[in-house]
Amino acid sequence: MASLAERKAYRDKIMQALYEASEGNRLLGVTGARLLHSLGIHEEDLAAACTYLVGEDLIAVDWTTGNTPAMVTLTHQGIRLMEAKEEEHD
């Protein structure tokens, strides 16, 4: 079981990866397999992080059997959050 700090880090990594891959476009997503490979997150932790982010209305997920995300996309709220974070760093 991941610690609270690890769970938060996983969620942040997922949001950043989605934002970079989609360039803020809701029509572009990332496969769960790509997230697993590129972020090095265990499948259970990826599923838990995605479930949390869906609950916050930051991402949308198409699920496969076994609770693995098939496709993950940012929602409008997710894009707004990431744009606000980007503006803070500029």
Side-chain angles (χ1 to χ4, degrees), residues 2-3 5-7 10 19 21 27-28 33 44-45 52 54-55 57 60 68-69 71 87:
S3 69
E6 289 171 325
R7 291 191 309 267
Y10 295 154
Y19 186 64
L27 300 176
L28 299 175
E44 302 84 26
D45 293 327
Y52 180 93
V54 165
D57 194 33
T68 301
M71 182 60 69
E87 286 176 344

Side-chain angles (χ1 to χ4, degrees), residues 8-90:
K8 286 182 175 185
Y10 295 154
R11 295 190 295 251
D12 287 342
K13 286 180 181 182
I14 291 167
M15 291 297 292
Q16 190 64 43
L18 288 171
Y19 186 64
E20 289 172 4
S22 68
E23 298 176 353
N25 184 338
R26 287 186 57 200
L27 300 176
L28 299 175
V30 176
T31 65
R34 180 173 167 193
L35 288 173
L36 281 171
H37 179 71
S38 65
L39 299 179
I41 298 174
H42 293 287
E43 193 169 339
E44 302 84 26
D45 293 327
L46 178 66
C50 286
T51 300
Y52 180 93
L53 294 169
V54 165
E56 295 294 312
D57 194 33
L58 298 175
I59 66 171
V61 177
D62 294 328
W63 296 96
T64 63
T65 56
N67 292 330
T68 301
M71 182 60 69
V72 186
T73 56
L74 288 172
T75 63
H76 181 74
Q77 285 296 102
I79 293 169
R80 289 181 62 206
L81 174 71
M82 296 308 294
E83 287 175 346
K85 285 184 176 185
E86 186 176 10
E87 286 176 344
E88 287 176 7
H89 292 17
D90 287 344

